[in-house]
Structures are given as C-alpha cells and as structure tokens.
C-alpha cells in the first residue's frame, strides 16, 4: 500500500495539464533563429527517449563533475555552509544524536520511518520513474515524459557518484557497533555509511519534482519535507550518522539541480536568450521581441 500511495501521488502530479510556455514572435525570422540556437547549443538536450537523451548522461555527468570549477560566490558560500554544518556534526554531535535517538525509539517512530523509507530506496524510484514516463507516453503528456526521464537520469547519476564516494570513504555505520569517528577506507567488503544513499536519493527526487513543479507553491514544500522525514528515519533506524545524512542530502540536491538545469524547457530558454533583437529582412531590418 505504501508503494501504491507513493506512485499515485507522482502520477497524479504528472497528469495535471501543464502547457509549455510558448514565445510570441513579431516576425517569422525569429523562429529560424530559435531553431538554430537550440541545435547549436550543446548544453540543451531534449528530454525524450532518444539518442540525444542517452548522450545527455555523459554531458550531464561531466557538467556535475566540473561544476565546482565554475562556482560563483553564492555557490562557494553554500558549499562552505554545508561543510561547516557537516563538520560540526561530525566533531561534536554525531555520537550524541545517535545515542539520543536510539534511547527514544518507539513503535510510532519505527512505523513513521517505514512509511517514508521508499522515498530514499532506489528500488522503488526506478519503478516510479518508469510509471511516470509510461503515463506520459500513453496519455501524450510531455510533462510526465520529461519528469519521468529526469528522475531516472538523476537517480542513476546520483547512484554512481554516491557509490564512488562510499567505497572510497569506507565509513562504518552506527549499527556496526562503531563510533562516529571510525573509518576503514577502501576495502572489501566495504563499509557504506558515508554519504547516506537514502538521503541522496530522497533529495535528488525532491529536487527534480520541486524544480519541475515550482509554479505550484505547495509542491516544493511537500517534496523537501518528505525528503527531510526520510533523512530523519535513517537516524531512527541506526543506519547513519547525522553528518552522513547532511552530505548525502546536499549531494542529491546539487547534482539533481545541475541535471535539471542542463535540460531547460524551450520556452524559458528562448526568453533568456532573446529579448529585443534587430533582424535583417529582404527589404531592410525588423525589430523583434519575444515574450
């Protein structure tokens, strides 16, 4: 029932009619310029199941990995804040939060944790993305198709990059009987505590949904609230240290944010590019503007 409810929520959201914002042009020449711009811009990949979508996995992964080299002041501040909070938790709070949470586990907290767990479980989200995509294909809903494919790509790229960090770090979980400062490093069998895969997956999903439906004010609030509950559930389950969850959530958010921005919807991209332009015609020039 939990899985059916979760899928129903996403299918219901995706079935709402979302009309693409269309640019209104003052001359025929603008249409040709837009088509040329879309074709030549290597960062814009249509979100439909075709070869361009497959290739976008490489472009988008490269964009995620190289993004820190082009951070602006705001990005650096955000990174510093996340690092400071995660570091403070690691040094001062991880062990205390773990001890307190396990002393206060109840039937209610266990039940609540089980309800939100699927939001961070990749096995459920592969199914969710597939059903949302299928809904788009059957009902000719471009928004559903787009969201389904973005969820799928986000989960795959987050999963691969997250596993690389996990295997490299080798941090021991609380349920391993370890202390908050026990790290094994790369070894086999590996330890998987840092960063939290559930936190990364939940915030990756929440970010895609929040960005795609940002014009519905309640959606980002609900999406990030559910992701946060998923994060808290991993403390209740004694599966992660708090710093694991902070870093995992940050990775899921920023990786998915980069991926979604790699696939701008055409109406938004056109408005960003054009504004007023002076265009040549057969008999002179035309002043054109997109809205």
């Amino acid at each position: 029932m939990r899985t059916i409810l979760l899928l129903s929520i996403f299918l219901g959201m995706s079935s709402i009619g979302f009309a693409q914002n269309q640019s209104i042009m003052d001359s025929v020449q603008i249409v040709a310029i837009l088509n040329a711009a879309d074709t030549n811009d290597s960062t814009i990949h249509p979100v439909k199941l075709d070869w361009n979508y497959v290739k976008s996995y490489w472009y988008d992964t490269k964009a995620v990995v190289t993004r820190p080299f082009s951070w602006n002041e705001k990005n650096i501040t955000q990174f510093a804040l996340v690092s400071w909070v995660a570091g403070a938790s690691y040094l001062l709070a991880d062990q205390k939060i773990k001890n307190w949470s396990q002393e206060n586990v109840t039937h209610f907290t266990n039940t609540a944790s089980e309800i939100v767990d699927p939001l961070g479980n990749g096995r459920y989200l592969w199914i969710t993305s597939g059903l949302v995509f299928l809904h788009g294909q059957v009902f000719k809903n471009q928004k559903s198709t787009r969201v389904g494919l973005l969820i799928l790509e986000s989960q795959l790229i987050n999963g691969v990059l997250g596993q690389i960090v996990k295997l490299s770090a080798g941090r021991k979980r609380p349920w391993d009987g370890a202390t908050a400062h026990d790290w094994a490093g790369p070894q086999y069998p590996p330890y998987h505590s840092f960063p939290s895969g559930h936190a990364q997956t939940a915030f990756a999903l929440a970010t895609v949904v929040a960005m795609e439906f940002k014009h519905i004010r309640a959606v980002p609030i609900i999406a990030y609230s559910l992701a946060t509950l998923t994060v808290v559930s991993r403390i209740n389950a004694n599966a992660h240290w708090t710093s694991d969850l902070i870093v995992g959530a940050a990775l899921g958010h920023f990786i998915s944010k980069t991926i979604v921005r790699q696939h701008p919807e055409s109406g938004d991209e056109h408005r960003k590019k054009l504004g007023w332009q002076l265009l040549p015609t057969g008999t002179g020039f035309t002043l054109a503007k997109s809205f």
Side-chain angles (χ1 to χ4, degrees):
M1 287 301 294
R2 296 197 307 270
T3 304
I4 294 173
L5 177 60
L6 177 65
L7 297 180
S8 299
I9 291 173
F10 285 105
L11 288 176
M13 288 167 52
S14 62
S15 63
I16 300 173
F18 294 98
Q20 295 271 346
N21 291 327
Q22 300 294 330
S23 298
I24 302 175
M25 306 303 172
D26 290 330
S27 70
V28 176
Q29 291 90 337
I30 271 205
V31 176
I33 288 178
L34 287 177
N35 291 334
D38 284 346
T39 301
N40 294 331
D41 191 338
S42 62
T43 67
I44 301 175
H45 306 286
V47 189
K48 57 183 179 179
L49 194 57
D50 58 9
W51 182 239
N52 282 330
Y53 172 72
V54 175
K55 290 192 298 183
S56 75
Y57 277 65
W58 163 251
Y59 293 117
D60 296 349
T61 301
K62 185 169 67 171
V64 168
V65 173
T66 60
R67 182 74 178 91
F69 297 105
S70 59
W71 277 349
N72 56 30
E73 184 176 345
K74 179 181 178 181
N75 301 139
I76 295 173
T77 301
Q78 291 171 336
F79 175 77
L81 179 60
V82 171
S83 299
W84 185 88
V85 173
S89 178
Y90 174 71
L91 294 172
L92 304 173
D94 275 3
Q95 191 70 51
K96 294 178 181 178
I97 293 174
K98 180 261 185 184
N99 294 340
W100 179 87
S101 68
Q102 295 310 296
E103 290 169 0
N104 291 276
V105 170
T106 65
H107 176 70
F108 172 78
T109 61
N110 285 335
T111 301
S113 295
E114 291 175 1
I115 292 174
V116 296
D117 181 82
L119 289 173
N121 192 320
R123 289 175 296 178
Y124 293 97
L125 293 181
W126 297 120
I127 299 172
T128 301
S129 62
L131 289 177
V132 173
F133 170 78
L134 183 61
H135 174 271
Q137 294 297 292
V138 172
F139 295 99
K140 308 300 180 184
N141 187 318
Q142 293 183 3
K143 191 68 172 181
S144 291
T145 300
R146 172 184 171 86
V147 172
L149 291 176
L150 285 176
I151 291 174
L152 179 64
E153 181 181 359
S154 170
Q155 293 305 316
L156 183 58
I157 293 177
N158 267 284
V160 171
L161 296 179
Q163 283 300 316
I164 291 174
V165 179
K166 277 178 176 287
L167 296 175
S168 301
R171 190 181 191 186
K172 297 182 179 181
R173 295 181 184 270
W175 66 33
D176 292 324
T179 68
H181 300 154
D182 283 347
W183 301 74
Q187 67 172 40
Y188 188 85
Y191 291 97
H192 293 93
S193 192
F194 178 88
S196 166
H198 267 69
Q200 189 171 352
T201 297
F203 269 86
L205 173 63
T207 300
V208 173
V209 173
M211 291 182 71
E212 287 297 300
F213 301 106
K214 60 186 177 183
H215 52 288
I216 304 177
R217 185 172 300 177
V219 171
I221 297 173
I222 294 172
Y224 288 123
S225 295
L226 289 173
T228 301
L229 289 175
T230 304
V231 167
V232 174
S233 76
R234 301 304 284 167
I235 298 177
N236 180 83
N238 202 30
H240 285 287
W241 307 101
T242 303
S243 55
D244 298 336
L245 299 164
I246 295 169
V247 174
L251 284 173
H253 173 71
F254 290 113
I255 290 173
S256 289
K257 190 174 183 180
T258 300
I259 291 171
V260 173
R261 286 182 172 178
Q262 285 287 104
H263 299 273
E265 294 189 80
S266 57
D268 292 337
E269 186 65 20
H270 295 165
R271 284 193 294 275
K272 289 178 184 177
K273 285 186 176 182
L274 289 178
W276 286 99
Q277 292 198 14
L278 188 64
L279 305 173
T281 65
T283 57
F285 292 90
T286 298
L287 187 62
K289 182 181 181 181
S290 63
F291 298 88

